[in-house]
Amino acid sequence: MFKTLMISAGVSVLMISGALAQANPPAAKPEAKAEISSPHFVKEQGMDKFVFSKFKGTNVLGPDDAKVGDVTDMLFDKNGKILGLIVGVGGFLGIGEKNVAIDMSAFQIVPADTGTTGTSSAMSGANDPTNVKLKVTWTKDQLKNAPDFQYYRPPSRTTSAPGSPTTGMAPRPTSPAPLPRQ
């Protein structure tokens, strides 16, 4: 009986100490970290700045405000300079689509309701100056005849000796033949 009493008392002490530890607030609040200011950080998006998530999938319009394709990707150099946008032209649901890279200077930013026949999209983006479409001077047929953009593919590995396996599955070398007795 004494053993049971001691075990019960020990468990009770452990439970109470855990509850008390949670109930007491910390004695000193940690100071708020100072905000880091640097020309390398951008704090917010302004009305004249755009994010790529808005451009990806954006309709690209031709000179007659008809859709000629949509933005599928962005091309930039190692310094972060945007060189152009990759536009998917033609095809149906991505099948048979041709990618054409177009320099950024060739795009004209137009309001989102340009080239649409319904009013529902005009209402939803009327108050958002970053909700835009892109316009180019080429028609869909001209873009289909433009050079196809090729993504970079690293060169394939080659071996120094022709026919040598690269998988590590070469046959084991045979042990030297025993020397004949003399």
Side-chain angles (χ1 to χ4, degrees), residues 25-32:
K29 292 184 179 180
E31 292 183 26

Side-chain angles (χ1 to χ4, degrees), residues 13-25:
V13 167
L14 289 175
M15 289 175 48
I16 291 173
S17 66
L20 290 175
Q22 291 178 358
N24 291 338

Side-chain angles (χ1 to χ4, degrees), residues 17-103:
S17 66
L20 290 175
Q22 291 178 358
N24 291 338
K29 292 184 179 180
E31 292 183 26
K33 293 184 180 180
E35 188 174 314
I36 299 173
S37 179
S38 171
H40 299 288
F41 299 116
V42 179
K43 288 180 77 171
E44 63 185 20
Q45 174 188 2
M47 289 177 36
D48 60 340
K49 306 245 182 324
F50 302 97
V51 291
F52 181 66
S53 61
K54 288 271 189 173
F55 281 134
K56 186 166 177 77
T58 298
N59 291 343
V60 177
L61 307 175
D64 56 353
D65 290 337
K67 180 182 173 184
V68 295
D70 54 4
V71 176
T72 59
D73 215 342
M74 177 175 44
L75 181 67
F76 58 95
D77 65 13
K78 64 182 178 180
N79 296 322
K81 180 183 178 209
I82 300 173
L83 302 174
L85 296 176
I86 299 166
V87 177
V89 180
F92 180 71
L93 296 174
I95 300 172
E97 185 175 68
K98 175 182 182 174
N99 287 324
V100 178
I102 301 175
D103 187 77

